[in-house]
Amino acid sequence: MLAVVALALLAVVLLAVSGNSLRRPIERIVQDKTGRALRIAGDLKIRPGWPLLRVRASGIAFANAEWAKQPPDMATIGEADFGVSLPQLLEGSVVVDELRLHDADVALQVDAQGRGNWELPGGPSKVELRRVAADDGRIAFDDPAHRTSVRATVKSTPDGMAFAAKGSYRGETVDAHGSGGAMLGVRDPGSPYPVEADADVGGVHGHAKGTVTGLQPVAALDLAAELKGESLAQLGRLLGASLPETAAYRSSGRIVHERDVWRYENFSTHIGGSDFTGTLALDTSGPRAAVGGEIRAGTADLADLGLKSGARKPGERLLPDTRIDPGHLRKAEADVKLSAQKLVLPRGIAADRLAAHVRLHDGVLSIDPLALGLAGGTVSGSIRLDGRGDPLRAKVKIRIAKVAVDRIVPGFAQPQLDPGRMDGAVDLAGTGDSPARLLGSADGSVAVLVNGGHVSRLVMEEVGLHLPRIAALKLGRDQPVGIRCAAADFKVDGGVMHTRTGVFDTTVTRVDAGGDIDLGNETLDLTLNPNTKEPALISLHTPIHIRGSFAKPDVSLEKGPVAAKTAGAAALAVANPLLALIPLIETGPGRDSDCGRLLAASAAAADTKKVPPKRAPGR
């Protein structure tokens, strides 16, 4: 009853009072509430109705923020026509419906502190705007701190409206155009707004067609989208992110947004010769944004993705030293499955059947399981990066099984001959804020075992320093020699790989190795002791030292009596048996293999050198 009486009184007042007589009171109210001047230079007409009270005003200007010196007005409007919901007004809320603007100019600006000139004192406006339309408008947006300046126009068409925009975004050229429906729902969840747009920004071309529901906030979105460019690095510059230089790309899919979840559904992406499909989702409802989904690749070439080794400057370190910020791992969650039918590695090495599960939870990133097929064998294991503290902590466990050596190591390929088989194990844990520093602090072990295969005879004769044979092979034709067993076992302590076992045994020469590899300083200190299995007229039998940096190793011959050298080599061979490699031999080629027999011989030789315990007196 009270609502009816109030409505009747409001109608009497509106009919009795001229709209123009309300212009100055309205201007004073806006000045008091916002601190900015509102001017209504033209007529103000009010037409009572139910449920909407219609208002039409002309010659409107709203002042700019004090810090925004130009232009003096943030908005000037030739004419505005809108409806005010009387039921909500009687309940104390101001709800504006169907705001129509004609001949409007809006100048939006952001200052160096990130303030927008549309921000008003007292927080967000209590006026709710539901739908808006513009038949002739111009919008300017300037953000000098981010090198952004865009000018847009809006015009009415028989089917709705058309818009165009030119300028720059983050210093990159912007050229966009599109069309939409006649009335844009700002806060109207029941009215999806049709839109289609094309844009070229800094070499990135995008096209989208679909519907948008609501703007403050976006309640829902459903768009068929396409994106293409010459490199993902261009897209990264627009997003303010660091993305690698890649091959040309194109991607298409469906962008769906509802409540707190954004999804890129059924996407198809091509980067150079690599292709990817899948669905990804971003959920912002929790304390940290969470990414989930699945990415499948037919072919994934690391070179296409910008993951390739480039030329290094003299003296530059080889291990990557790009900083990994542990704080970034604490800002998001992830659960993504990756798979690829074919994975192309550096030097054209092809792997297949990649399967990986990437999880990020509470600052801990894990890739477990990680598995792929490589050269007829498998590489499997797990990687864990713990970012809960600073510096980062990492653990890596990798197992290599039945990998054909001739398909991954240059110079091993010998058609019609035994390709050789590689088995190995890597168990490392370290701390640091980059891959180089993680390795430079690592503890654990690294072991590699090669059974079978072939290698150049010339290479082996050069290692053994058999001068006449080297000359004969260089003048004639090189020949392959069989590899009986190649094994390397390292204990890793504080980033230094200490050789426990090092042997390369072929049918003509056996080379025993010892020494250290310093991952932190990227230096080598290794000694190779060659021992020929065939009589040679001239053979220096001199140990070979490999020292210096990873980037520039130095190879030299040891100086001293030959007898001392050969005796040292024999002692080295006995002191470093293959006992630590028993697990790899048993799970790999087996005890009946060449490596298995070499293990047995080394163990037996070690036993003969043991000193028997002394008997106690009187026994």
Side-chain angles (χ1 to χ4, degrees):
M1 183 65 182
L2 291 176
V4 174
V5 173
L7 182 62
L9 291 174
L10 178 62
V12 171
V13 171
L14 292 175
L15 290 172
V17 178
S18 168
N20 286 332
S21 64
L22 296 176
R23 290 182 300 180
R24 302 299 172 255
I26 292 175
E27 291 174 348
R28 286 194 297 270
I29 292 173
V30 172
Q31 175 78 47
D32 292 341
K33 293 292 185 181
T34 67
R36 300 194 202 178
L38 171 70
R39 302 188 304 277
I40 304 176
D43 288 337
L44 174 64
K45 298 180 179 179
I46 301 174
R47 186 171 71 253
W50 183 266
L52 294 179
L53 174 71
R54 301 300 309 184
V55 178
R56 176 176 291 180
S58 59
I60 304 169
F62 184 62
N64 214 334
E66 290 184 359
W67 52 263
K69 298 180 181 180
Q70 292 294 332
D73 294 322
M74 187 185 82
T76 59
I77 303 170
E79 185 176 86
D81 186 302
F82 58 92
V84 178
S85 173
L86 291 179
Q88 276 82 8
L89 187 62
L90 293 174
E91 294 176 359
S93 301
V94 180
V95 177
V96 177
D97 197 3
E98 294 187 4
L99 170 62
R100 297 179 182 274
L101 303 175
H102 175 71
D103 192 21
D105 285 275
V106 179
L108 305 177
Q109 301 174 42
V110 179
D111 69 358
Q113 288 73 43
R115 296 178 299 175
N117 66 339
W118 58 89
E119 297 174 2
L120 301 174
S125 173
K126 294 183 179 179
V127 177
E128 179 180 334
L129 175 61
R130 288 190 171 174
R131 292 184 293 171
V132 63
D135 58 5
D136 184 15
R138 293 153 294 280
I139 302 173
F141 179 80
D142 290 288
D143 182 357
H146 292 93
R147 298 178 299 156
T148 297
S149 179
V150 179
R151 300 293 181 266
T153 60
V154 179
K155 294 183 178 295
S156 62
T157 67
D159 298 324
M161 73 167 187
F163 62 87
K166 290 182 178 294
S168 61
Y169 175 75
R170 293 184 178 272
E172 304 289 344
T173 302
V174 173
D175 187 356
H177 64 275
S179 61
M183 186 69 68
L184 172 60
V186 179
R187 289 191 178 183
D188 187 359
S191 301
Y193 179 74
V195 63
E196 183 172 6
D198 281 277
D200 285 287
V201 185
V204 177
H205 176 75
H207 175 80
K209 182 178 182 180
T211 60
V212 179
T213 304
L215 285 182
Q216 294 183 337
V218 175
L221 184 146
D222 191 343
L223 296 173
E226 297 178 4
L227 199 67
K228 63 181 180 180
E230 293 301 315
S231 171
L232 286 178
Q234 295 174 325
L235 181 61
R237 288 192 288 270
L238 301 181
L239 299 176
S242 178
L243 296 180
E245 289 288 350
T246 68
Y249 69 92
R250 66 182 187 278
S251 182
S252 62
R254 183 181 175 210
I255 300 175
V256 179
H257 168 58
E258 188 172 5
R259 296 182 181 177
D260 299 314
V261 179
W262 292 80
R263 296 172 61 84
Y264 190 27
E265 295 183 343
N266 301 320
F267 65 79
S268 176
T269 300
H270 295 263
I271 305 175
S274 303
D275 59 286
F276 306 89
T277 60
T279 293
L280 290 174
L282 174 65
D283 188 342
T284 60
S285 61
R288 294 185 290 267
V291 178
E294 184 174 2
I295 301 176
R296 300 176 297 274
T299 297
D301 189 332
L302 298 188
D304 287 338
L305 306 181
L307 303 176
K308 54 185 177 181
S309 57
R312 286 181 167 84
K313 299 177 182 178
E316 187 176 3
R317 296 171 65 92
L318 296 185
L319 298 178
D321 203 23
T322 304
R323 186 174 186 273
I324 304 173
D325 187 349
H328 291 167
L329 299 181
R330 300 190 289 266
K331 294 180 180 179
E333 301 278 308
D335 190 336
V336 179
K337 292 182 178 180
L338 307 174
S339 63
Q341 297 177 12
K342 182 180 180 181
L343 181 66
V344 182
L345 305 173
R347 300 203 316 271
I349 297 173
D352 54 24
R353 307 185 310 279
L354 168 69
H357 193 168
V358 180
R359 297 182 181 91
L360 176 59
H361 179 61
D362 286 342
V364 178
L365 174 66
S366 65
I367 306 177
D368 187 10
L370 169 63
L372 73 153
L374 178 63
T378 60
V379 177
S380 61
S382 63
I383 300 173
R384 176 186 171 93
L385 299 178
D386 190 338
R388 290 175 292 184
D390 198 349
L392 197 72
R393 291 179 296 168
K395 290 184 178 180
V396 177
K397 290 182 177 289
I398 300 294
R399 297 295 180 267
I400 304 169
K402 302 180 181 179
V403 172
V405 181
D406 67 331
R407 291 167 57 182
I408 63 171
V409 179
F412 271 70
Q414 298 290 341
Q416 312 302 322
L417 298 178
D418 178 9
R421 161 180 167 163
M422 178 188 295
D423 296 271
V426 177
D427 287 281
L428 294 175
T431 60
D433 59 2
S434 72
R437 298 189 183 193
L438 287 169
L439 289 171
S441 66
D443 297 320
S445 63
V446 176
V448 179
L449 188 72
V450 175
N451 193 83
H454 290 77
V455 68
S456 163
R457 180 168 189 135
L458 175 60
V459 171
M460 299 310 299
E461 299 294 1
E462 287 177 332
V463 171
L465 297 175
H466 301 154
L467 303 185
R469 293 177 185 168
I470 293 173
L473 288 170
K474 286 189 174 182
L475 292 174
R477 183 178 180 182
D478 194 8
Q479 302 170 355
V481 295
I483 300 172
R484 294 185 64 241
C485 181
D489 178 39
F490 299 93
K491 177 185 178 182
V492 185
D493 185 10
V496 179
M497 300 174 63
H498 304 286
T499 305
R500 293 189 292 200
T501 299
V503 62
F504 194 91
D505 188 29
T506 72
T507 55
V508 297
T509 302
R510 168 171 169 155
V511 180
D512 291 285
D516 298 332
I517 301 174
D518 191 330
L519 299 175
N521 294 316
E522 294 195 5
T523 57
L524 303 165
D525 187 4
L526 299 172
T527 299
L528 309 182
N529 289 280
N531 290 278
T532 183
K533 297 182 179 181
E534 299 177 348
L537 292 176
I538 303 177
S539 178
L540 298 184
H541 282 293
T542 300
I544 301 171
H545 296 295
I546 304 176
R547 298 188 175 108
S549 67
F550 289 2
K552 193 175 181 180
D554 178 67
V555 180
S556 62
L557 303 180
E558 183 175 318
K559 299 177 181 179
V562 173
K565 303 165 194 169
T566 55
L572 180 66
V574 173
N576 291 292
L578 305 180
L579 298 178
L581 296 171
I582 289 177
L584 283 182
I585 291 174
E586 291 183 340
T587 61
R591 287 184 176 269
D592 291 335
S593 64
D594 284 334
C595 279
R597 287 188 288 271
L598 184 61
L599 165 69
S602 296
D607 288 340
T608 62
K609 296 295 181 180
K610 292 181 179 178
V611 178
K614 295 182 179 180
R615 292 188 178 183
R619 297 187 65 181

